[in-house]
Amino acid sequence: LGWIQRIAVINAAHYPERMGKTWIINAPGFLSFFWRGISGWIDPKTRSKISIHAGREEWFEPLRAEVDASLLPVHLGGTRQLS
């Protein structure tokens, strides 16, 4: 896990503020466990931009509050038809 910490430090130093918001939805349980272990190594500002959610009941409302329905595909509860 030391390499993850080094990557986090390098990214914070060389690529600040590149990420707007990252949503990980329908995440398996082990990912939340893994995230709790490594999130302390990530810059707090960056950490606040990452949302990890398991089932739809957990992510649907927060995602719709931040992303307009016209931008979300139908299978995520939006109105955008993908071709």
Side-chain angles (χ1 to χ4, degrees):
L1 292 178
W3 62 274
I4 295 173
Q5 186 175 13
R6 288 193 301 274
I7 289 172
V9 169
I10 290 168
N11 281 339
H14 297 286
Y15 305 102
E17 300 305 313
R18 295 266 184 189
M19 179 175 62
K21 178 83 173 179
T22 298
W23 289 81
I24 301 173
I25 59 173
N26 299 327
F30 77 86
L31 186 59
S32 293
F33 177 76
F34 182 71
W35 176 247
R36 282 192 298 273
I38 67 164
S39 64
W41 299 333
I42 298 173
D43 179 74
K45 194 169 188 178
T46 301
R47 188 172 51 236
S48 71
K49 296 177 181 183
I50 300 172
S51 295
I52 299 176
H53 302 280
R56 183 180 177 98
E57 66 283 346
E58 191 178 307
W59 60 259
F60 183 75
E61 290 302 324
L63 182 63
R64 287 290 304 269
E66 290 198 37
V67 180
D68 188 83
S70 67
L71 300 174
L72 290 173
V74 172
H75 71 277
L76 295 179
T79 59
R80 169 83 50 181
Q81 293 292 331
L82 301 177
S83 54

